[in-house]
Amino acid sequence: MSTVRRAALVLTTLSTALALTACGPAEDDAAGGTGTTPPAGPSTASSEPPSKPSTPSTSSATSSSAGGSSGGGSSADHDVFPCSTFDVTFTASLAEPTTSSYLLKVTNKGTKACRALGHPVVTFGDLDGAATERGTAPGIEDALRLAPGESAYAGLMGGADDGKGRTVGSIAMTMNTESDLEQTPLTAPTPNLYVSPDINSVTPWVNNVEDALSL
């Protein structure tokens, strides 16, 4: 065999061996794999931490707290009770001599506020009956609120001698409490006050002298 033919045979043999080596891994994969594929990792969903319980927002917590404390509005005023004669001092001053009209004044002498309700109840010395109510008084919720030391005023209106009455030297006053509370009447001197069934009347409690004598 010539040297050229031997060299050709060696080259042919090497080419065949290289071709078979290149085809090996592909055939193995086609037959079902070599078992070298890495296992699948955990899914993203399963790796997330569990969700935290929801908490109320700041705004809802605030509104809930505000609602609990409101309890009904001007709650402080709901604790203000009507003034009685145990809560006030009382004076009567001559305002108009020609008509025997007097300015009545009460002052809260206590340590808590109270309300001066409606009209004062005024009686005359040892006479029967009381002064008639003059003008319209506000309801209990709008009645005059007296803080300690504050005063309320009312006008006791009189008139000229009509021949039907008589004079008295003092009057007695109790407060309207819209209750059956027994009060001790407060008295004030009223020298020569002329009292007649048709002329004596009293205005509601107000917070100033002018209105008390003009209603």
Side-chain angles (χ1 to χ4, degrees):
M1 182 180 296
S2 69
T3 301
V4 174
R5 290 183 66 185
R6 283 182 187 150
L9 181 59
V10 172
L11 290 173
T12 301
T13 302
L14 289 174
S15 298
T16 302
L18 289 173
L20 289 174
T21 302
C23 293
E27 290 173 355
D28 289 342
D29 291 341
T34 61
T36 60
T37 305
S43 66
T44 304
S46 63
S47 65
E48 292 180 357
S51 60
K52 296 182 180 179
S54 61
T55 56
S57 65
T58 304
S59 60
S60 26
T62 303
S63 64
S64 173
S65 174
S69 64
S70 61
S74 26
S75 59
D77 275 353
H78 291 309
D79 297 332
V80 179
F81 296 101
C83 302
S84 73
T85 56
F86 302 109
D87 304 310
V88 299
T89 59
F90 171 62
T91 61
S93 305
L94 183 62
E96 178 51 61
T98 58
T99 60
S100 291
S101 294
Y102 278 78
L103 175 68
L104 310 183
K105 176 184 176 182
V106 292
T107 302
N108 184 353
K109 68 178 182 178
T111 58
K112 295 182 179 180
C114 64
R115 291 189 182 277
L117 300 187
H119 299 72
V121 180
V122 179
T123 56
F124 304 97
D126 58 354
L127 302 181
D128 293 332
T132 59
E133 294 181 354
R134 180 190 187 106
T136 302
I140 185 170
E141 293 183 356
D142 299 317
L144 187 60
R145 183 182 188 276
L146 298 182
E150 290 185 337
S151 300
Y153 306 89
L156 177 62
M157 306 305 187
D161 187 341
D162 59 0
K164 300 179 182 179
R166 50 175 286 194
T167 59
V168 297
S170 66
I171 59 173
M173 187 278 303
T174 55
M175 301 292 290
N176 178 1
T177 62
E178 294 192 356
S179 71
D180 56 0
L181 175 69
E182 286 193 24
Q183 302 178 65
T184 300
L186 300 178
T187 60
T190 54
N192 299 316
L193 170 63
Y194 183 75
V195 180
S196 173
D198 300 327
I199 62 175
N200 298 101
S201 61
V202 65
T203 64
W205 294 114
V206 293
N207 62 0
N208 65 88
V209 173
E210 184 178 354
D211 287 344
L213 296 173
S214 61
L215 291 175

